[in-house]
């Protein structure tokens, strides 16, 4: 299995996807961009956004289907419900670009934890997608999810447009 890394995602691509699904999170700013972990699901590259540590993460249920707690929430969470299909060309690895020592330390700790628990994370992602694809999620949970099938189609269209340019 490949080593998981944390990436920035291209703002132009995020803006493109948001035209079709408003659950795709914004890049907040150059100082606080969208970061996430990248993996492959059904031959499609996916970007799962991370949420930086917040007090509420400590009390969230670790068995919730749509999140993966990083070190019991102390280091944030992976938002499985908001993962998006992403062309590799739209990703930039975070770690080599981080200047702030405290933020770099957090990224290293998150990456280390995610790699130690990679099989658990990927298993949770797979279970989540199987339930999503089969319509076995509660309506409340489904409303919080990105429209994966639509975004996969739009990702392919984006890649074709980028190649044509």
């Amino acid at each position: 299995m490949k080593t998981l890394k944390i990436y920035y995602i291209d703002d132009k691509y995020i803006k493109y996807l948001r035209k079709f699904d408003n659950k795709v999170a914004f890049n907040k700013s150059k100082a606080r961009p969208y970061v996430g972990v990248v993996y492959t699901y059904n031959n499609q590259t996916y970007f799962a956004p991370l949420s930086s540590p917040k007090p509420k993460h400590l009390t969230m249920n670790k068995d919730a289907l749509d999140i993966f707690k990083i070190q019991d929430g102390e280091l944030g969470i992976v938002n499985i419900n908001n993962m998006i299909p992403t062309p590799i060309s739209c990703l930039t690895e975070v770690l080599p670009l981080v200047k702030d020592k405290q933020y770099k330390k957090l990224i290293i700790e998150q990456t280390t934890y995610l790699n130690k628990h990679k099989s658990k994370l990927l298993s949770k992602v797979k279970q989540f997608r199987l339930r999503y694809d089969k319509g076995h999620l509660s309506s409340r949970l489904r409303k919080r999810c990105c429209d994966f099938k639509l975004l996969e189609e739009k990702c392919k269209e984006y890649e074709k447009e980028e190649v044509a340019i």
Side-chain angles (χ1 to χ4, degrees):
M1 244 189 256
K2 287 173 84 175
T3 301
L4 295 175
K5 296 178 182 175
I6 295 177
Y7 293 87
Y8 295 124
I9 191 164
D10 183 65
D11 197 44
K12 179 180 166 192
Y13 182 65
I14 294 296
K15 287 176 182 173
Y16 170 80
L17 289 184
R18 283 198 51 84
K19 292 180 203 172
F20 309 103
D21 187 342
N22 65 2
K23 290 179 191 72
V24 174
F26 283 109
N27 264 337
K28 294 196 179 8
S29 68
K30 288 275 186 214
R32 252 188 88 215
Y34 201 3
V35 299
V37 65
V38 175
Y39 59 90
T40 302
Y41 178 81
N42 280 351
N43 297 318
Q44 172 70 59
T45 302
Y46 262 88
F47 174 94
L50 273 59
S51 183
S52 56
K54 296 174 183 63
K56 71 178 182 177
H57 295 153
L58 300 173
T59 59
M60 293 172 105
N61 182 350
K62 71 176 176 61
D63 296 325
L65 290 175
D66 60 335
I67 62 153
F68 182 82
K69 292 174 80 167
I70 306 171
Q71 197 169 306
D72 296 322
E74 291 175 26
L75 299 176
I77 61 171
V78 177
N79 291 299
I80 297 169
N81 59 309
N82 292 131
M83 59 189 181
I84 54 176
T86 306
I88 298 290
S89 62
C90 292
L91 299 168
T92 306
E93 189 180 346
V94 170
L95 212 46
L97 303 175
V98 174
K99 303 283 185 247
D100 181 272
K101 287 179 182 172
Q102 196 166 351
Y103 187 54
K104 190 171 204 155
K105 180 179 182 273
L106 173 64
I107 296 292
I108 290 168
E109 289 173 347
Q110 289 171 326
T111 304
T112 301
Y113 185 88
L114 290 169
N115 278 294
K116 281 184 181 173
H117 299 87
K118 180 172 34 180
S119 61
K120 191 173 180 183
L121 169 63
L122 297 178
S123 174
K124 194 165 192 178
V125 166
K126 186 177 179 181
Q127 282 301 112
F128 179 83
R129 271 306 297 264
L130 287 171
R131 287 184 177 191
Y132 176 91
D133 292 343
K134 291 182 178 186
H136 294 171
L137 295 178
S138 69
S139 60
R140 188 169 152 252
L141 177 52
R142 198 167 181 89
K143 285 178 187 173
R144 292 197 312 258
C145 297
C146 288
D147 184 338
F148 305 123
K149 294 293 182 197
L150 172 64
L151 294 177
E152 285 174 4
E153 289 172 25
K154 297 305 175 185
C155 178
K156 287 177 183 147
E157 288 174 16
Y158 186 87
E159 288 178 302
K160 286 179 187 169
E161 287 175 23
E162 289 297 300
V163 168
I165 294 175

